[in-house]
Amino acid sequence: MASSMLVKVTCLAMICLVLGIPLANAAASCPEIEQTLTPCLEYVTHPGSPPPPEPCCNAVKAIHGQTHTPQDRRDCCSCVKSMIGDIPGLNLPAAASMAKDCGVDLGYEISPDMDCSKVN
């Protein structure tokens, strides 16, 4: 009886793991991107010398790691573009070089003028 229950629990656990894989690899939503990039707000408003602080670079790398397709990258670009328009006191040069200074190639430079439709 106990081994039968163990087999059932093991099977259920495996099913949950398999079904969870696509969710773990899903692209982040705009609110998730905004939340993840929160550690960068201080840097893009009051930058020190490059590179940005480690928590900010980790956030940029995490977001970049979730953009697997061109559409993911365009969506992320659009989200970041809308975000930067809402940041009072934004230092544009710091925002523009932030990803590069963190060692990440987004495929675009962050600016209010970026054309996200051209992001591959």
Side-chain angles (χ1 to χ4, degrees):
M1 175 89 170
S3 79
S4 174
M5 183 61 120
L6 181 61
V7 170
K8 289 178 183 177
V9 169
T10 302
C11 287
L12 181 60
M14 293 301 292
I15 290 169
C16 289
L17 286 173
V18 170
L19 293 176
I21 289 171
L23 296 175
N25 292 326
S29 67
C30 197
E32 290 169 330
I33 291 170
E34 291 172 358
Q35 181 68 33
T36 301
L37 291 176
T38 299
C40 298
L41 286 176
E42 180 70 24
Y43 182 76
V44 298
T45 56
H46 302 94
S49 59
E54 186 176 349
C56 175
C57 285
N58 290 341
V60 171
K61 290 173 185 175
I63 296 299
H64 181 64
Q66 292 178 329
T67 55
H68 304 289
T69 68
Q71 187 60 52
D72 291 346
R73 290 186 282 280
R74 286 189 289 272
D75 291 345
C76 183
C77 174
S78 296
C79 179
V80 171
K81 184 175 181 176
S82 71
M83 281 175 55
I84 64 172
D86 295 334
I87 300 174
L90 177 69
N91 182 301
L92 285 173
S97 67
M98 181 176 65
K100 180 182 170 200
D101 292 340
C102 288
V104 176
D105 180 10
L106 295 176
Y108 55 90
E109 188 175 275
I110 297 172
S111 81
D113 304 325
M114 55 190 175
D115 183 354
C116 297
S117 69
K118 294 183 179 179
V119 172
N120 292 318

